[in-house]
Structure formats: C-alpha cells, structure tokens
C-alpha cells in the first residue's frame, strides 16, 4: 500500500480515515484521480460517487457537495454527507429522487433558491441510487 492517506469528513463524523492506494472523486470541473505524489490542489465537489482502493480492495461512497484538498500525500474530503454504498437504502433514495423531481416541476421559476435546493436534492438522490446499485451489482 502507498503512502496516500484519505479522510472523508461530514458535519456528523469522520466517515473514512485510512491509508489508501488511490482516490477518484467527482470534482466541480470533472472527475479526477489522486495517487501518491499528486500535486497539491483544492477544488469543489459535486454530488456523485467517491471511489477509493485500500489494499487493492475497492470502496464506494455516495457524497454530496463539498471540497477536497490534496496536499503532501493526504486527501481531505469535506462534504455535507457521505454514505458507504452498503449503507444506502435504495427505496428511500428513490423516493427522495421522486420528491425532488416533483418539486422541480412545481417550482420552476418560482424562487431560484428553492429550485436550486430541489435540483441539489435530485442530484444527491441520483448519486445515492447509482452508488447503492453499483454495490449490489445492479
């Protein structure tokens, strides 16, 4: 295993804190990967799947918006929420997706803030579904 260290932190807890081989995350400018010795940088994150391998074993998290900092072989991910693939309740995620779609259809043009919140909820629900289904081989 390399000398790359990953920390995924939410307001509630530290979701991941371990040495890893690599990290792939959904950056605001596109998906990116980090290996040992990567150049330092800071970028925003969008809802999606954060993948990493530790000891050759793949892991998958559904994350919401946030930021990532890469420096000195450490990847620090600060997000509003992060769920391990095996912890995702797919039915609940599908219901959240439907609610968000309904809100988007109703609120289009009503209030920009409400629209943005509904859009973010939809993206987060879709990320959770994709990660949950990937972990279950669907």
């Amino acid at each position: 295993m390399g000398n790359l260290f990953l920390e995924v932190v939410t307001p509630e807890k530290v979701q991941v804190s371990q040495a890893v081989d690599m990290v792939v995350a959904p950056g605001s400018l596109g998906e990116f990967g980090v290996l040992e010795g990567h150049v330092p940088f800071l970028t925003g994150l969008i809802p999606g799947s954060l993948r990493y391998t530790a000891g050759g074993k793949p892991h998958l998290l559904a994350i919401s918006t946030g930021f990532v900092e890469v420096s000195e072989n450490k990847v620090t991910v600060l997000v509003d929420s992060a769920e391990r693939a095996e912890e995702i309740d797919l039915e609940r995620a599908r219901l959240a997706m439907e609610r968000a779609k309904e809100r988007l259809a109703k609120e289009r043009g009503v209030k920009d803030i409400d629209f943005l919140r509904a859009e973010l909820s939809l993206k987060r629900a879709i990320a959770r579904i994709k990660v949950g289904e990937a972990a279950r081989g669907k």
Side-chain angles (χ1 to χ4, degrees), residues 11 16 21 26 43 59 61 65 102 105-108 125 127 130 133:
V16 176
D21 304 315
T43 191
H59 299 272
L61 297 172
T65 56
E102 288 171 13
K106 262 193 323 193
E107 296 177 6
R108 187 171 294 276
K130 285 182 179 178
E133 286 179 348

Side-chain angles (χ1 to χ4, degrees), residues 71-103:
S71 64
E72 299 178 20
N73 288 322
K74 183 175 182 182
V75 179
T76 304
V77 177
L78 305 171
V79 288
D80 294 327
S81 66
E83 288 179 273
R84 294 180 188 280
E86 58 275 9
E87 297 171 350
I88 294 174
D89 180 338
L90 281 172
E91 186 57 33
R92 189 170 153 239
R94 288 186 183 107
L95 289 171
M97 180 178 70
E98 292 308 315
R99 281 192 309 274
K101 283 181 179 178
E102 288 171 13
R103 281 179 35 214

Side-chain angles (χ1 to χ4, degrees), residues 1-2 4 6 9-10 14-15 17 23 35-37 54 60 77 81 108 138:
M1 182 162 339
L4 187 62
L6 172 65
V9 182
T10 69
V14 175
Q15 184 75 358
S17 182
V23 178
L35 295 169
E36 182 179 350
L60 198 55
V77 177
S81 66
R108 187 171 294 276
K138 292 184 179 180

